[in-house]
């Protein structure tokens, strides 16, 4: 599934929002998933900067992507991802968050993302303000970092310039994080942390060694 709105208008209107990456309530977009019964895995989130109004975009710094579940006009924070590397770029470039996503997005459900620059400067994100609703499944918005009331664009038809690449969740669970090696002491309990994606009930085959 590719969720997207990929047309950027050339006007700096912002649809009544402070749609800059340094905003206290960061800019983003709501979106809806498809009908795959096992849900969806996020492969990548692509965001376009507007190329209209940026400051210090070439300054290498970290950025934060937040994901929210959406019910009515309220957003609930479900995940926060901070870039592993510092990024500098020309204003107008596409930005990509990829790798490390652990969320399973449920089918036929509304979610939202926001994008925030962590230190200095600002940049306006790309958006469509053509007056045509190019992505009826969601809308341009800002959301407080901890979640809460979603502030939508005043027109009701504007969308972020974004691509969200999703793949269907496998019906059988897939181990994504192997447990760390531990020393087991006779008579003492031990626990392991294992990451998995997919449907069904995960299972793991343990092996022991006398070494």
């Amino acid at each position: 599934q590719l969720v997207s709105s990929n047309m950027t208008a050339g006007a700096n209107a912002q649809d009544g929002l402070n749609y800059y990456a340094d905003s206290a309530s960061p800019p983003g977009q709501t979106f809806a998933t498809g009908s795959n019964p096992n849900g969806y895995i996020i492969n990548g989130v692509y965001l376009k900067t507007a190329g209209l109004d940026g400051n210090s975009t070439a300054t290498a710094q970290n950025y934060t992507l937040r994901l929210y579940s959406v019910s009515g006009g309220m957003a609930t924070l479900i995940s926060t991802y901070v870039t592993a590397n510092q990024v500098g770029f020309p204003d107008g470039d596409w930005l990509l968050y990829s790798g490390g996503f652990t969320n399973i997005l449920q089918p036929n459900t509304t979610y939202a993302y926001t994008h925030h620059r962590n230190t200095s400067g600002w940049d306006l994100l790309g958006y469509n303000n053509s007056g045509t609703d190019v992505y009826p499944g969601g809308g341009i918005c800002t959301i407080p970092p901890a979640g809460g009331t979603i502030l939508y664009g005043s027109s009701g038809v504007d969308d972020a310039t974004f691509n969200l690449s999703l793949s269907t969740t496998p019906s059988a669970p897939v181990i994504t994080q192997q447990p760390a090696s531990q020393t087991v002491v006779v008579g003492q309990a031990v626990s392991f942390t294992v990451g998995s994606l997919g449907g069904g009930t995960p299972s793991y085959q343990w092996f022991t060694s006398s070494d």
Side-chain angles (χ1 to χ4, degrees), residues 50-95:
L52 298 172
D53 188 3
N55 175 269
S56 299
T57 61
T59 301
Q61 61 182 289
N62 297 101
Y63 288 79
T64 298
L65 180 80
R66 294 181 176 90
L67 296 176
Y68 301 85
S69 60
V70 174
S71 178
M74 301 297 293
T76 300
L77 180 66
I78 56 176
S79 289
T80 299
Y81 298 98
V82 179
T83 55
N85 58 317
Q86 295 186 332
V87 179
F89 57 90
D91 188 23
D93 272 11
W94 281 88
L95 307 179

Side-chain angles (χ1 to χ4, degrees), residues 89-115:
F89 57 90
D91 188 23
D93 272 11
W94 281 88
L95 307 179
L96 168 62
Y97 289 90
S98 64
F101 292 109
T102 58
N103 305 89
I104 300 293
L105 303 184
Q106 298 302 307
N108 303 311
T109 302
T110 301
Y111 294 93
Y113 72 79
T114 62
H115 163 79

Side-chain angles (χ1 to χ4, degrees), residues 41 100-104 169-170 172-180 182 191-206:
I41 299 169
F101 292 109
T102 58
N103 305 89
I104 300 293
T169 305
V174 176
I175 300 296
T176 59
Q177 177 191 349
Q178 297 290 344
Q182 297 190 44
S191 62
F192 297 88
T193 298
V194 179
S196 67
L197 289 174
T201 302
S203 62
Y204 205 91
Q205 180 65 53
W206 301 108

Side-chain angles (χ1 to χ4, degrees), residues 1-2 7 10 16 25 27 41-42 44-45 53 77 87 89 110 132 139-140 148 152 184:
Q1 183 186 23
L2 181 65
M7 178 176 63
S25 289
I41 299 169
I42 301 172
V45 180
D53 188 3
L77 180 66
V87 179
F89 57 90
T110 301
T132 301
I140 191 174
Y152 287 100
V184 179

Side-chain angles (χ1 to χ4, degrees), residues 2-27:
L2 181 65
V3 177
S4 68
S5 161
N6 53 19
M7 178 176 63
T8 301
N12 192 348
Q14 305 171 54
D15 205 17
L17 301 175
N18 181 9
Y19 208 62
Y20 287 82
D22 65 328
S23 174
S25 289

